[in-house]
Amino acid sequence: MHPKTQRTNAGGDQGDPGAFDSWTALQKSTDRTRANLIADIVGHPQGAPSVKELDYMNPSLEGDAIRRHLSILQDVGVVEELVVEPGNRIRGYPYKFYRLSDEARELFDRNDLFPREAWQRQYARVQRTGEIKDLEEMPRPTAD
């Protein structure tokens, strides 16, 4: 059973807010830091990590920097924010999770970028604390 969620997904910066611009998506996704975050999203066991999990996987980044990069990826439709509704949140646990949009996954597959299996193997090799393992096992919101 998954908690009820809201799904937020900003489209492009201009024009139709729901439009997915492949060129802009690729441009924003190939920045080294954002590419590392995308790889961690793809490699995550549930495909939707929280900022806390991304922070653990990227110790050189602060949470605010991660949020800023995720916001850029959301703005171009690469990443979707999945939010647990207020009545279903668990105190002390994350309520926002980030996953690739279907459009981004299709774009990356067409261009042989961020292959799931490879990044999942890489992610699994990282030694994780008990707290991070517990977070990984949390039920994630599902996209509508």
Side-chain angles (χ1 to χ4, degrees):
M1 177 198 272
H2 294 285
K4 290 187 175 186
T5 64
Q6 293 176 222
R7 176 177 162 186
T8 58
N9 179 19
D13 294 335
Q14 301 170 347
D16 179 6
F20 182 79
D21 179 354
S22 297
W23 178 253
T24 304
L26 284 172
Q27 197 175 36
K28 297 297 183 184
S29 298
T30 54
D31 167 87
R32 172 178 241 136
T33 301
R34 289 190 285 274
N36 288 340
L37 292 173
I38 291 169
D40 290 334
I41 291 170
V42 171
H44 187 272
Q46 296 194 51
S50 64
V51 168
K52 189 166 190 163
E53 291 164 289
L54 291 170
D55 184 42
Y56 182 81
M57 298 300 281
N58 297 275
S60 64
L61 292 176
E62 295 292 326
D64 288 341
I66 292 170
R67 285 181 194 86
R68 184 172 38 82
H69 285 292
L70 289 171
S71 178
I72 290 167
L73 292 170
Q74 279 182 268
D75 288 345
V76 297
V78 170
V79 170
E80 297 174 335
E81 181 180 79
L82 303 174
V83 181
V84 176
E85 291 179 357
N88 294 316
R89 295 178 185 172
I90 301 170
R91 176 178 260 169
Y93 285 91
Y95 63 90
K96 290 183 180 180
F97 301 89
Y98 300 87
R99 71 180 284 277
L100 286 187
S101 68
D102 293 337
E103 296 87 357
R105 183 71 267 166
E106 289 171 19
L107 174 66
F108 296 154
D109 287 347
R110 281 194 315 268
N111 291 283
D112 296 322
L113 297 170
F114 305 106
R116 272 191 194 110
E117 297 78 21
W119 288 112
Q120 287 173 342
R121 283 192 305 270
Q122 184 70 18
Y123 192 100
R125 290 184 183 123
V126 174
Q127 186 173 13
R128 296 179 303 281
T129 65
E131 178 186 17
I132 294 300
K133 288 179 184 178
D134 287 346
L135 289 176
E136 288 174 351
E137 293 174 7
M138 271 185 73
R140 297 301 194 255
T142 56
D144 296 331

